[in-house]
Amino acid sequence: MTTRDEVLELVKGHLMDNLEDELDEADFDPSKSMKDLGANSIDIVEVVSCSMRDLKVKVPRADLADLKNVNELVDLLFKVVTEKAAG
């Protein structure tokens, strides 16, 4: 079973990989949007795509459109993972 903290670490890892020159681990704040953390639209797509691939889930784009920060993305991914595990 995947925990919310594991999903957060996964998303954080992908964000850090994509923004290695712009984002310091000490500056990572999940209450901020990826854009506020320095991500451009391509970085955001990459982070979301890699996270979904690693978690083996798919989230409709419409569900992703209203997310305001990293915590909301983590909550959504965790919810989808949990629902998938429940069957």
Side-chain angles (χ1 to χ4, degrees):
M1 185 65 165
T2 303
T3 66
R4 186 191 183 281
D5 285 343
E6 289 170 333
V7 175
L8 175 60
E9 285 304 310
L10 179 76
V11 171
K12 178 182 175 183
H14 287 302
L15 199 52
M16 299 300 291
D17 288 348
N18 277 279
L19 302 177
E20 58 187 304
D21 297 333
E22 299 99 48
L23 182 61
D24 213 64
E25 186 146 358
D27 296 329
F28 177 76
D29 179 354
S31 67
K32 291 184 175 180
S33 71
M34 283 194 254
K35 218 170 211 121
D36 289 342
L37 292 170
N40 63 34
S41 54
I42 294 169
D43 295 327
I44 294 169
V45 168
E46 185 73 13
V47 168
V48 173
S49 297
C50 290
S51 298
M52 287 192 299
R53 184 181 62 237
D54 288 352
L55 293 167
K56 297 176 176 59
V57 296
K58 288 193 190 293
V59 178
R61 283 188 192 168
D63 292 352
L64 297 167
D66 295 331
L67 301 179
K68 292 170 184 49
N69 59 43
V70 175
N71 273 330
E72 289 185 12
L73 172 62
V74 170
D75 288 341
L76 176 61
L77 290 172
F78 179 63
K79 178 179 164 237
V80 173
V81 167
T82 305
E83 288 171 353
K84 181 181 177 190

